[in-house]
Amino acid sequence: MIDDFMLESILSHFNLPGKLVKAERFGSGLINETWLCEFMDHGAGRKLILQRINRAVFARPDLVMANVETVTEHLQSRFKKEDVSDPAGVTPALVRARSGRSFHIDGSAEYWRMYHFIEEGLVFDTVQDNVHAYEVGRGLGRFQALVSDLAPDRLYDTLPGFHHTPLHLAELDDAVGRDARGRLADAAAEVAFVQARRDLAPLLTDLVANGRVPVRVVHNDPKVNNVMVHAATGKALCMLDLDTVKPGIVHFDFGDCVRSAANPAGDDADLDSVFFDRSRYAALSRGYLDEARSFLTQAETRLLPLSVKVITFELGVRFLADHLRGDTYFRVSRPGHNLHRSRVQFRLLESMESAGL
Ligand code: GN1
Ligand code: MG
């Protein structure tokens, strides 16, 4: 457990704006742990985000932070060129530790980092309407456009195989074979569902292997709540959660964004409310292409729809494997949570199939 005393001790290693008045858990991420910290500086309130990087997921937090530095600095320099006076107000910006580094390592070798809080921004866990879906797509397209002049080899591969669907399938096979927690009997229908769709797995990795589409800097986790919109105007502001930004293909991003935005009930919904909403998909695609058209090749554009079922399948497979393994990767808040999450993705995939995708 992390208590207030520990938080204050961690915070003392960063350059902070005044005195801490409040710190509380924040956000709905499944990997890192996040706090919103409020400070008072000469009568003015200031907010910062504090995060502990999940070392079980990211074996090299130092390289994650090197990537985050490269990407945030690149984004800020692009905004400066566009004469934005305070880039930290519209795109993620790190707060330096007193050591001069972008992170602090505590006595237990845990990595901590801080971001400026974007006061004008807002995120939602689910898509609110088609206007929001359009902006979510546009936010992703704009992000990819902003990093399209950043050479992929400047970033480390911090999660090898992250969107290698066949590898996730092999991990599921392994978890099924071991059945370490005796959970297989209750998940037989889901395992059979996956077996019937194994052909989906290599579709995107084949595109990479055959060089049919270029490798670029991509986000890799652009679900709805990682696209920040402007609180007053609803317009896309920026992408959050830059830990997974690394070389990849735009299809990983497009598929994940559609998967998350075209299921209006969200990733943790009641199964009966899960469906693939074609109008959300159309709105998101319009927003995405309005920004991404400027740099995508014809082949990339043509192959975009292929990604949607593959990434939905992949996430369902990841949740199912984690359930069988004993919930070692995704944070859960109740028994069977990861099994339920996999069912949501598989129900969504079925709905995509019915819609002829
Ligand atoms: C994880 O922590 P969060 O929610 O931003 C995961 C994504 C999944 C997502 C599903 C590093 O992201 O790949 O799509 O959960 N991130 C990692 O909610 O595994
Ligand atoms: Mg996140």
Side-chain angles (χ1 to χ4, degrees), residues 29-31 58 162 221 223 241 244 315 318-319 329-330:
L30 304 185
I31 305 293
F58 296 106
F162 186 50
D221 186 14
K223 58 199 164 70
D241 199 353
T244 52
L315 186 59
R318 292 172 66 200
F319 283 140
Y329 187 97
F330 296 105

Side-chain angles (χ1 to χ4, degrees), residues 127-138 234 261-262 264 277-287:
V127 153
Q128 308 295 296
D129 50 31
N130 283 346
V131 176
H132 185 208
Y134 174 88
E135 288 301 324
V136 166
R138 208 173 64 78
D277 186 328
R278 271 198 161 277
S279 71
R280 297 276 196 273
Y281 176 38
L284 185 147
S285 301
R286 267 201 311 282

Side-chain angles (χ1 to χ4, degrees), residues 280-297:
R280 297 276 196 273
Y281 176 38
L284 185 147
S285 301
R286 267 201 311 282
Y288 176 73
L289 287 173
D290 278 353
E291 296 285 343
R293 200 174 275 122
S294 63
F295 67 88
L296 290 181
T297 66

Side-chain angles (χ1 to χ4, degrees), residues 6 15 24 66 74 88 100 115 158 168 203 239 250 254 258 320 326 351:
M6 229 186 117
N15 286 316
E24 57 189 15
H74 181 81
Y115 279 111
T158 47
H168 290 295
L203 296 180
M239 300 290 302
V250 293
F254 183 78
V258 173
L320 182 57
S351 176

